[in-house]
Amino acid sequence: MNAPLSPSGVPDTGAAPSFSVLAPAPVVPVVVVEDAADAVPLARALVAGGLPAIEVTLRTPAAPDAIRAIAAEVPGAVVGAGTVLTPEQVTGAVAAGARFLVSPGCTDTLLTALRASGVPFLPGVSTASEVMALLERGVREMKFFPARAAGGPAYLKSLAGPLPQARFCPTGGIGPDTAPEYLALPNVGCVGGSWMLPEDAVAARDWDRVERLAREAAAL
């Protein structure tokens, strides 16, 4: 897990070592950290359960410290930053130790920053035109968001025919009952979700329960 990482889109410069955000596990936990002190035990529980790629969303003030702590103290984790919206957040997340970046959508300004970051990234899409625009820029791996609201497995299945080169990590409204339907699609590499991190378990710091739910998710 300590190998150098490459952008998931075609980089502007430099080599492209083989790494895909979609590869480590069928599920990427989407984590909202309110207290940075919870980051390390939470990440250890997820990794022990078989989910090494962990997306920490930049929705709370604790997120940068959480990324920094996981990167430093959980060797088996591949920690990334989610809800990346600006070039400044790209720079800050990578400086904190993020090894991949995820955004809910994509603009030209953000894409330029993502490609210059030196780490893999999943820009968000929800329409065929958005997928086509990223394919034109050499990006093949994307986040499909918000998955359930944007059409779910049926919509992604319909994209596989005309746009087979695009691969997705659908996120948004996905749970253990619906994840298998997404994962069965040829253009889906993994799904993102937070069902293995129920609020009551995190509040109680019940990391054994988180590990058990992570193990169930990793088996999908």
Side-chain angles (χ1 to χ4, degrees):
M1 287 298 180
N2 293 321
L5 308 181
S6 68
S8 61
V10 176
D12 292 320
T13 60
S18 59
F19 176 84
S20 167
V21 181
L22 309 185
V27 178
V28 175
V30 179
V31 181
V32 179
V33 178
E34 300 289 348
D35 184 346
D38 291 336
V40 167
L42 184 154
R44 285 175 175 160
L46 293 173
V47 171
L51 301 180
I54 301 169
E55 176 189 336
V56 177
T57 65
L58 300 181
R59 300 180 190 177
T60 68
D65 285 340
I67 292 170
R68 193 172 292 108
I70 294 171
E73 300 181 43
V74 188
V78 180
V79 63
T83 321
V84 176
L85 306 177
T86 67
E88 293 75 18
Q89 288 181 323
V90 169
T91 301
V94 173
R99 297 176 64 191
F100 65 91
L101 303 170
V102 184
S103 62
C106 197
T107 66
D108 286 341
T109 299
L110 181 60
L111 181 59
T112 297
L114 290 170
R115 293 183 66 167
S117 70
V119 300
F121 56 90
L122 294 175
V125 296
S126 60
T127 70
S129 294
E130 291 169 345
V131 174
M132 291 170 63
L134 285 173
L135 289 173
E136 286 181 355
R137 299 288 298 273
V139 179
R140 299 287 183 264
E141 297 183 353
M142 310 169 198
K143 171 179 178 175
F144 181 63
F145 176 83
R148 183 173 63 182
Y155 189 88
L156 280 174
K157 183 177 181 180
S158 72
L159 292 179
L163 302 169
Q165 63 270 56
R167 299 184 73 233
F168 302 96
C169 174
T171 304
I174 298 175
D177 295 334
T178 57
E181 189 175 359
Y182 287 95
L183 291 169
L185 298 174
N187 56 350
V188 169
C190 63
V191 300
S194 57
W195 71 85
M196 71 296 300
L197 296 160
E199 289 184 6
D200 58 339
V202 175
R205 294 177 169 81
D206 187 352
W207 308 127
D208 288 340
R209 181 181 173 198
V210 170
E211 180 180 340
R212 175 174 56 80
L213 292 172
R215 185 170 290 107
E216 293 172 0
L220 290 174

